[in-house]
C-alpha cells in the first residue's frame, strides 16, 4: 500500500459527494419554497416552453370569459331598454284603441294625441341615451345622443370570446337595430312636418335663391346662375340639402318637386310625400303613422303600432337568444381554463411528497458525506508515525 499525503483521493471523493448532495438539497429546498418544480429553464427546458404556451392559453381564456360576461351585460342592457319601449308601445296601442271610439270629442282626441306625442318622444329618448360604457346601443350607430335619421339601420358589435385570432369560432357578432320611433314606423303623430334651419348658400354673388315654408308648404324662388346655389333645411330634424349648382335654375314647380323629392329620399326620411302644387310651391306631408285625430287615423295607428311591437319583439327574442348562448360560452370557457390550469400544474408544480423525501435524503447524505470527509482527512494522520524516531 502506498502512503501519500499530496493527493487524498478519499477526501476528494467525499468532498465531491458532499457538493453533489448539497446541490440536490438546495434544489429540493427551492422547489418546496416556491411550490414549483420548474424554477428556471435548466430544471426542464421542454417543460418551460410547454408551460409558457399553456399560460398564454389560460390568460387568454380567462380574458375571453370576462369578454363574454361584458358582452352579456351589454346585450342585457339593450334588452332591458327594449322591454321598456315595449311597455310604451303597449300603452300607445291602448291610447289608439281608446281614440278609435267615436265617444271621444275633439278635445278628448287632442288630449290623447298629446299623450301619444310624448310617448313617441320618450321612445326616441331611450333610443338615443341607452349606452354601455359610453357606447350608444340603440340608435343604429349614430353619434351619441342622437337618433338615426334612416329607418332600419343597425349597429354591429363584435365580441372576442376565444383566445385565437379572429375566426368563426373565436368571435361573436350581433347587430342591434335602431329602435327610435322612425325605425319602428311610429314617428308621425301629425300630418304636418316640422321645418327648420332654412338657408341658402350664396358664395357666388350671382346667386339669388330664396326659401320659405308655411304650414307644410315649401317655396323656393329666385334664380341660381354661375354654378352656385345650395338650399338647406331640416324636415322633422332630418337635414335636407337641395343642390342647384349643376347649372342655371329659375324657380319652377316641376324642377323644385323633382329636386326636393330626390333630396328627401337621400336623407332617408320615411313616411313623407312630396307634392308638386304647380304654382311654384311644394307640399311635404307625412302619413301621421300614430295620429289619433280621427277614428280612421286611430285605426291606422293601431296597425302601425302592432307592426312596431312585432318588430321590437323579434329583436328582443334575438337578444335573449344571444344572452343565453353567452351563458354556455362562459361555462365552456371556464371548463377549458380549469383543465388548462390542471395541465400546467402537472408540468411545473412541485410534488411536495417527493421533494420532502428528497430533502430528507439529501440532508442525511450531506451529514454522512461530511463525516466521511472528516474521516478521510484523519486517515492521513498515520503517516506521522513513520516520521517519529
Amino acid at each position: 500500500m502506498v502512503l501519500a499525503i499530496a493527493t487524498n483521493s478519499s477526501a476528494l471523493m467525499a468532498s465531491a459527494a458532499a457538493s453533489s448532495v448539497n446541490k440536490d438539497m438546495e434544489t429540493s429546498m427551492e422547489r418546496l419554497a416556491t411550490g414549483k418544480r420548474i424554477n428556471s429553464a435548466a430544471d426542464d427546458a421542454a417543460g418551460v416552453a410547454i408551460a409558457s404556451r399553456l399560460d398564454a392559453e389560460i390568460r387568454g381564456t380567462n380574458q375571453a370569459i370576462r369578454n363574454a360576461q361584458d358582452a352579456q351585460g351589454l346585450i342585457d342592457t339593450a334588452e332591458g331598454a327594449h322591454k321598456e319601449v315595449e311597455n310604451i308601445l303597449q300603452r300607445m296601442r291602448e291610447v289608439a284603441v281608446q281614440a278609435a271610439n267615436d265617444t271621444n270629442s275633439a278635445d278628448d282626441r287632442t288630449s290623447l294625441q298629446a299623450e301619444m306625442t310624448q310617448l313617441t318622444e320618450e321612445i326616441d329618448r331611450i333610443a338615443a341615451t341607452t349606452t354601455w360604457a359610453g357606447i350608444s346601443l340603440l340608435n343604429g350607430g349614430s353619434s351619441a345622443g342622437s337618433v338615426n335619421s334612416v329607418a332600419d339601420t343597425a349597429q354591429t358589435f363584435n365580441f372576442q370570446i376565444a383566445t385565437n385570432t379572429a375566426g368563426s369560432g373565436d368571435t361573436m357578432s350581433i347587430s342591434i337595430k335602431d329602435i327610435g320611433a322612425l325605425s319602428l314606423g311610429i314617428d308621425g303623430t301629425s300630418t304636418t312636418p316640422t321645418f327648420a334651419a332654412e338657408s341658402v348658400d350664396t358664395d357666388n354673388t350671382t346667386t339669388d335663391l330664396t326659401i320659405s315654408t308655411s304650414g307644410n308648404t315649401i317655396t323656393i324662388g329666385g334664380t341660381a346662375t354661375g354654378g352656385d346655389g345650395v338650399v338647406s333645411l331640416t324636415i322633422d330634424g332630418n337635414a335636407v340639402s337641395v343642390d342647384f349648382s349643376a347649372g342655371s335654375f329659375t324657380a319652377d314647380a316641376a324642377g323644385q318637386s323633382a329636386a326636393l323629392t330626390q333630396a328627401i329620399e337621400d336623407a332617408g326620411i320615411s313616411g313623407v310625400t312630396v307634392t308638386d302644387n304647380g304654382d311654384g310651391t311644394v307640399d311635404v306631408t307625412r302619413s301621421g303613422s300614430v295620429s289619433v285625430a280621427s277614428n280612421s287615423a286611430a285605426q291606422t295607428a293601431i296597425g302601425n303600432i302592432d307592426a312596431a311591437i312585432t318588430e321590437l319583439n323579434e329583436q328582443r327574442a334575438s337578444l335573449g337568444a344571444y344572452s343565453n348562448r353567452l351563458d354556455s360560452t362562459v361555462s365552456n370557457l371556464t371548463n377549458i381554463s380549469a383543465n388548462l390550469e390542471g395541465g400546467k400544474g402537472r408540468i411545473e408544480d412541485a410534488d411536495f411528497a417527493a421533494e420532502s423525501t428528497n430533502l430528507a435524503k439529501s440532508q442525511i447524505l450531506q451529514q454522512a458525506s461530511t463525516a466521511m470527509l472528516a474521516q478521510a482527512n484523519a486517515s492521513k494522520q498515520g503517516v506521522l508515525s513513520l516520521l517519529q524516531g
Side-chain angles (χ1 to χ4, degrees), residues 52-68 160-164 170 333-334 336-337 340-341:
S52 179
R53 292 198 302 270
L54 288 174
D55 190 47
E57 287 192 59
I58 291 166
R59 295 178 66 171
T61 300
N62 289 338
Q63 183 58 56
I65 291 172
R66 292 190 289 272
N67 287 355
Q160 182 73 27
I161 56 173
T163 63
N164 302 314
D170 300 299
L333 289 172
T334 302
I336 292 173
S337 178
L340 289 173
E341 288 278 9

Side-chain angles (χ1 to χ4, degrees), residues 18-39:
S19 177
S20 177
V21 169
N22 188 62
K23 182 178 180 180
D24 290 342
M25 185 175 64
E26 289 177 352
T27 299
S28 295
M29 286 181 174
E30 181 181 27
R31 290 175 176 175
L32 290 170
T34 63
K36 299 292 184 181
R37 184 182 70 87
I38 303 175
N39 292 288

Side-chain angles (χ1 to χ4, degrees), residues 203-246:
D203 290 343
N204 190 312
T205 57
T206 60
T207 298
D208 187 21
L209 289 179
T210 61
I211 181 172
S212 60
T213 60
S214 177
N216 62 345
T217 300
I218 302 174
T219 301
I220 298 177
T223 302
T225 58
D228 186 30
V230 178
V231 177
S232 302
L233 74 159
T234 59
I235 301 177
D236 292 335
N238 301 281
V240 176
S241 181
V242 188
D243 188 357
F244 299 111
S245 62

